[in-house]
Amino acid sequence: MNSHLPRALGGKIVTRPYKLLVGLFALAMLLIAWRMVAGLGATTAMNDGYPFGLWIAFDVVTGTALACGGYAMAILIYVFNKGKYHPLIRPAILTSALGYSIAGFSVAIDVGRPWLIWRVPVYGWRWNFNSALLEVALCIMAYVVVLWIELAPAFLEKWRNAPKPRLASIVGKTADRLDRLLPWIVALGVLLPTMHQSSLGTMMLLAGDKLHPLWNTPLLPLEFLVGCILMGYGAVTIESCLGSLLFKRRPETAMLAKLSFAAAVTLWLFVLIRLTDLIVRDQTEAMFAGDLYSTMLWLELCLLLIPGIAYFWPGVRTKIRHLFSGAVLVVLAGAIYRFDTYLVGYNPGNNWSYFPAVPEQLVTLGLVAFEVAAYVLIVKRFPILAGHSRAETA
Amino acid sequence: MSVSRRSALKAFAAAGGTIATSAVPLRADNEPRSVPADAVGMLYDATRCIGCKACVTACHEANQDLPDTRTPGMELYDAPTELNSRTRNIIKLHRSEYIDSYVKRQCMHCVDPACVGACMLGALQKRDFGIVTWDAPYCIGCRYCQVVCPFNVPAFEWESANPRIVKCELCVHRLREGLEPACCEVCPREAVIFGQYEDLLAEAHSRIVDRPDVYVDRVYGEHEVGGTQVLYLSHVPFEDLGFTRDSTEAVPSLQQSIQHGIYQGFVAPAALYALLGVVMFKNKRTNRVADSEADDE
Ligand code: SF4
Ligand code: SF4
Ligand code: SF4
C-alpha cells in the first residue's frame, strides 16, 4: 500500500484558537468596509511621499515570497525530479494558494479604485508593456488560478468518493483530464513565479535614486528571484514543523534535513550575489556607514549567515529544532530584505515619513489570521498532509 | 547526472540568464525618447520670481481645485506645504547661506517620464504637445506613478473613496482654447513663461549668456532625467532649490533596457515554458515507474 498518500486529518474545526482567528478576520473586514467608505487617507498612514505602505510591502511583496513554498518545491520535485519530496508539495501548494489569494485581495483593497481592477486583464489593447507592475499583476492573477488548479486533485479526491454517483463520475472524469494536463499546468506554476517574483524587484528599479544604493541595483530582479526561492524553502520547513507540533504528527525531520541542503545552496547563492553586487558597485562605504541603512543590510546578512554557517555542522541538520530556527532566520532575513527594498530603503525626500497606522496593521493581521484558519480547515477536511504520520489524537 | 536533471539545469540556466529580469514583451522602440516636434513647455526663472503666489491661486482657479486648507494651524488659508491633491503648483522659499530664492514646483513634463513607464493601462501618457496627462478610466489607483516620479509630482486623493491622480497638465484645456497656462498668464514678473520648447531653451541660454554674473551656468531640465519640457534658470545652485536629481539618464531607461533584453518578443519566457513542460513530462513518466516500484516494496 502506498502509505505516504495524503489524507484529511479530521478532527474538530471550531476550536478556541479558531474562533480567535475568525474574530481577527471579522475585525479586518470591518476595517476594510470603513476604508471603502472613508478612503485610504482615513484608514492608513500612507501619503504622497510613501504611496506604498504595509499592505504592499508586507501582504503583497513579502507575502507572495512567503507563499513561494509551492514554487520552490515544484522546482525541486518536478524540475530536478526529486520525487522523494512529494509529501511536502501539497501542503506547500496549499499555503501558496492561500498566500497568493490573500496577496491579490490585499492589492484589491490597497488600490484606490478596486472596482476597475478587472480592466487590467481585460483591456489588452491598453497594456503598457513597459510597466513591470502590469506584468506582476497579470502573472499574479494567473498564478492564483494555476495554484488552485494544482490543488484541485486534493478536493477532487475527496468528492470522487461522494455518495452521489452522478457527482462522483463527473469529478472522476475531471480528475483524469486534469491529471493529463497537470505537467503543463505545473510548468506554468514554475514559469509565472519566475517572471513576477523577479519583476517585483524590477519594479523598484524605476524608483531611481529614491531607493538607497544598498538596494538599488540592476540585479534586483535576480536577487528577488533567488530570495523568494530561499524564503519558499524556509516557509515549507516552518510549516512542516508547526504542522507536526499543532496536529501532533511525527516531524518530517529526515526530509527537512535533506531539504536544508537545497536551502543552503540557495542561501549562499543569494549572499554571494548580494555581496558581489555591493562590492562591484563600490558600495563598501555605504555598507559600513553605521546608519540605519547599513544596519538593516547587516541585519539581513547576519540573519542569513547564522544558518548559512551553522549548516556545515552535521549535528545541526539532524535536529528538528535547529532546522526550524534556521528556517525562521532565513524567512526573517528574506522578509527584511523585501521590506528594506520597498519601505526602509525608499526615501522620497522632503521629510516625508511613514509608519503603518493601527487599522492598517489590524487588516494585515486579520488577513494572516484568515490564512491560518483556512489552512487548518482545509487540512482537516481534505487530503493535504501525507498520511504516514497521521494525527494520533483527533 | 540523469538526463532530466541536465535538462532541468538547462532550464534554470535559461531562467537565471534571461528571465532574471522582468516585465512583458513586444515594445519595439527601445530607444530613449526625444523631445516631440510639437513640444511646448514652460521656463521658470528664479531670479525674477518674487514669491507672490499669484500663479498658485490662478492654478487653483484654472483647474477648479479646492483651496488647500488642510495644513494644521492654517485652516483659514490656502496654505499647502507640498504638491498635493489640491495643489498642482506650489511656490517654495529656499534659504541658503548667502541668498534666499523662491522656486516654483509642478510637473516637469519629462521627455521620457517614469510615471508613464509605470502606469499599467496607460492612464498617464505623453499626449499632445508632449504634455503628460492623466486619463481617469484607465487608472486603478495603484500609485506606482507616485513611487517612480523623480520629482514626487503625482498626488493622490487620499481623502476620497473614488480617488484621482492629480497633477499639472500644463493647462492643456486652456491651450485648446488658445489661452496660455494660467500660471504663466498671471505672473506679474514673467518669471514663468510659456512657449515652444525649442524657443524656451534658446531663450534660457541667451539669458545666461547676457548675464553670466547672475545665472548659474546651467538650464535645469535640458539634460536632467533625460530632459524635461519645463526648464529652470537660477541664481543659486539648483541643489539649494531642492533639485537633487543630477543624472542625465532618463529614469526608465535602465529598467526598460533590462526588461526589453529579456522579454523581447516574449521569446525567452515561451522557450522556458516549453522547456519546463518537456522536462516535467519526462519526469512524470520516470516518476510513474519509480512509484510503481515503490509500491512493490
Ligand atoms: S515630473 Fe513626474 S509626473 Fe511629471 S512627467 Fe515627470 S515623471 Fe511624470
Ligand atoms: S495610480 Fe493610476 S495613473 Fe498612477 S500608475 Fe497607477 S494606474 Fe497609472
Ligand atoms: S500649467 Fe496650469 S496646471 Fe500647471 S502649474 Fe501652471 S496653472 Fe497649474
Side-chain angles (χ1 to χ4, degrees):
Chain A
M1 193 199 130
N2 215 337
S3 61
H4 58 249
L5 282 183
R7 274 175 225 174
L9 281 178
K12 212 169 101 187
I13 302 267
V14 186
T15 56
R16 265 261 190 84
Y18 195 86
K19 279 184 199 153
L20 176 70
L21 294 174
V22 173
L24 285 172
F25 174 60
L27 179 62
M29 292 313 278
L30 278 178
L31 289 168
I32 289 167
W34 178 29
R35 169 254 171 274
M36 287 301 165
V37 178
L40 284 161
T43 37
T44 76
M46 290 187 278
N47 51 59
D48 285 331
Y50 284 91
F52 284 174
L54 180 71
W55 293 343
I56 294 295
F58 182 79
D59 300 31
V60 181
V61 178
T62 310
T64 56
L66 284 169
C68 271
Y71 171 50
M73 294 313 293
I75 293 176
L76 211 54
I77 295 172
Y78 298 112
V79 182
F80 287 97
N81 206 16
K82 300 281 186 202
K84 61 173 178 254
Y85 292 115
H86 235 282
L88 292 178
I89 187 89
R90 258 199 198 168
I93 297 277
L94 174 59
T95 21
S96 297
L98 288 171
Y100 267 90
S101 304
I102 292 291
F105 181 74
S106 300
V107 172
I109 58 165
D110 180 86
V111 299
R113 294 135 70 93
W115 53 92
L116 296 183
I117 285 186
W118 61 272
R119 292 188 177 169
V120 175
V122 173
Y123 281 23
W125 64 95
R126 298 280 318 184
W127 284 348
N128 170 14
F129 290 115
N130 284 327
S131 170
L133 181 61
L134 174 73
E135 196 222 329
V136 170
L138 294 177
C139 276
I140 288 187
M141 288 179 193
Y143 189 47
V144 170
V145 176
V146 165
L147 280 168
W148 286 107
I149 295 179
E150 281 186 85
L151 200 62
F155 298 100
L156 296 177
E157 267 163 39
K158 174 162 174 156
W159 291 324
R160 188 172 220 163
N161 307 322
K164 291 196 195 102
R166 281 270 308 274
L167 179 67
S169 89
I170 293 173
V171 167
K173 266 188 216 136
T174 320
D176 292 340
R177 211 165 291 153
L178 198 63
D179 193 52
R180 247 171 289 140
L181 272 178
L182 218 50
W184 296 99
I185 292 169
V186 172
L188 259 188
V190 174
L191 177 73
L192 291 173
T194 311
M195 288 168 69
H196 70 247
Q197 283 297 335
S198 55
S199 291
L200 279 173
T202 316
M203 265 183 73
M204 286 312 278
L205 269 182
L206 206 52
D209 55 16
K210 287 197 227 173
L211 182 59
H212 193 277
L214 287 178
W215 291 275
N216 190 347
T217 157
L219 290 189
L220 260 185
L222 184 62
E223 291 180 357
F224 264 63
L225 183 61
V226 179
C228 85
I229 299 174
L230 179 58
M231 287 172 80
Y233 291 132
V236 167
T237 307
I238 293 176
E239 189 191 329
S240 162
C241 293
L242 289 183
S244 51
L245 199 73
L246 287 178
F247 305 128
K248 308 203 174 54
R249 306 162 74 241
R250 181 149 37 87
E252 295 158 311
T253 315
M255 202 177 303
L256 295 180
K258 280 192 206 123
L259 185 65
S260 72
F261 173 72
V265 171
T266 323
L267 186 155
W268 281 108
L269 186 65
F270 181 84
V271 172
L272 222 69
I273 295 173
R274 191 99 170 82
L275 288 178
T276 317
D277 166 69
L278 287 170
I279 290 163
V280 169
R281 283 188 305 113
D282 213 6
Q283 292 300 326
T284 33
E285 205 175 308
M287 286 168 74
F288 298 101
D291 56 0
L292 171 71
Y293 302 109
S294 62
T295 313
M296 293 310 286
L297 171 76
W298 286 106
L299 187 63
E300 282 170 26
L301 287 175
C302 290
L303 286 175
L304 286 177
L305 288 175
I306 296 168
I309 293 169
Y311 173 81
F312 292 105
W313 271 269
V316 169
R317 264 171 284 158
T318 48
K319 292 239 168 51
I320 191 79
R321 205 156 28 97
H322 297 318
L323 288 171
F324 178 72
S325 340
V328 169
L329 295 184
V330 160
V331 161
L332 254 177
I336 294 174
Y337 170 73
R338 285 178 175 235
F339 252 87
D340 287 348
T341 313
Y342 270 77
L343 281 179
V344 182
Y346 176 82
N347 182 2
N350 277 342
N351 298 324
W352 287 109
S353 67
Y354 167 79
F355 191 83
V358 174
E360 251 174 305
Q361 299 175 21
L362 286 175
V363 166
T364 295
L365 186 70
L367 293 182
V368 173
F370 172 80
E371 199 178 332
V372 176
Y375 182 86
V376 171
L377 175 84
I378 294 175
V379 295
K380 283 188 177 172
R381 286 292 171 267
F382 294 92
I384 303 288
L385 296 171
H388 63 86
S389 44
R390 204 154 54 115
E392 279 142 29
T393 57
Chain B
M1 194 187 281
S2 70
V3 178
S4 58
R5 255 189 89 191
R6 214 175 305 135
S7 37
L9 281 176
K10 251 189 260 158
F12 266 74
T18 53
I19 308 293
T21 8
S22 61
V24 211
L26 293 173
R27 217 184 90 159
D29 52 330
N30 269 354
E31 269 101 73
R33 288 160 194 262
S34 51
V35 184
D38 61 347
V40 296
M42 295 194 285
L43 170 63
Y44 172 80
D45 187 334
T47 66
R48 298 191 180 191
C49 179
I50 49 168
C52 70
K53 298 189 187 172
C55 58
V56 178
T57 314
C59 179
H60 268 209
E61 241 175 60
N63 293 292
Q64 292 169 336
D65 292 329
L66 292 170
D68 185 17
T69 51
R70 296 170 296 185
T71 305
M74 303 286 271
E75 286 82 358
L76 291 177
Y77 308 93
D78 178 16
T81 53
E82 269 302 335
L83 292 179
N84 59 41
S85 60
R86 293 184 192 171
T87 313
R88 299 167 200 248
N89 173 37
I90 193 168
I91 295 289
K92 289 186 178 181
L93 173 64
H94 280 275
R95 316 209 109 153
S96 66
E97 221 174 305
Y98 308 104
I99 193 171
D100 292 346
S101 176
Y102 292 100
V103 66
K104 178 180 185 295
R105 300 302 291 260
Q106 74 295 306
C107 175
M108 302 289 282
H109 299 280
C110 305
V111 173
D112 193 355
C115 62
V116 169
C119 188
M120 288 191 282
L121 295 181
L124 285 167
Q125 243 165 44
K126 232 172 148 52
R127 297 189 169 91
D128 300 351
F129 316 115
I131 297 173
V132 178
T133 54
W134 177 80
D135 200 4
Y138 305 109
C139 172
I140 61 161
C142 69
R143 307 186 298 281
Y144 187 31
C145 52
Q146 296 191 288
V147 171
V148 304
C149 170
F151 302 103
N152 295 324
V153 167
F156 183 76
E157 288 183 320
W158 295 98
E159 58 287 319
S160 164
N162 181 13
R164 298 174 304 159
I165 288 289
V166 178
K167 67 183 270 303
C168 157
E169 300 182 321
L170 239 162
C171 280
V172 69
H173 60 293
R174 288 174 54 93
L175 300 185
R176 285 201 194 101
E177 289 166 18
L179 297 166
E180 275 192 297
C183 54
C184 301
E185 188 183 76
V186 299
C187 182
R189 301 263 303 160
E190 297 194 340
V192 59
I193 56 173
F194 169 80
Q196 294 293 317
Y197 171 83
E198 297 300 337
D199 301 344
L200 294 175
L201 187 60
E203 168 70 17
H205 279 291
S206 80
R207 284 189 201 175
I208 295 178
V209 171
D210 287 349
R211 307 196 53 193
D213 51 319
V214 173
Y215 289 104
V216 173
D217 186 15
R218 177 178 178 191
V219 179
Y220 192 94
E222 185 178 6
H223 303 295
E224 287 75 8
V225 300
T228 60
Q229 285 175 224
V230 178
L231 301 168
Y232 280 75
L233 284 173
S234 170
H235 47 147
V236 299
F238 282 100
E239 301 77 69
D240 292 351
L241 297 183
F243 287 105
T244 47
R245 292 273 172 162
D246 284 332
S247 166
T248 54
E249 197 168 329
V251 182
S253 62
L254 170 68
Q255 180 249 5
Q256 280 172 21
S257 59
I258 290 176
Q259 272 177 185
H260 293 305
I262 285 122
Y263 284 88
Q264 199 60 268
F266 217 61
V267 174
L272 178 66
Y273 182 54
L275 204 54
L276 284 170
V278 171
V279 169
M280 279 167 205
F281 222 79
K282 254 199 218 153
N283 288 350
K284 198 183 174 198
R285 271 217 222 114
T286 50
N287 269 344
R288 282 250 171 80
V289 181
D291 264 0
S292 53
E293 275 165 9
D295 284 349
D296 294 341
E297 272 172 27

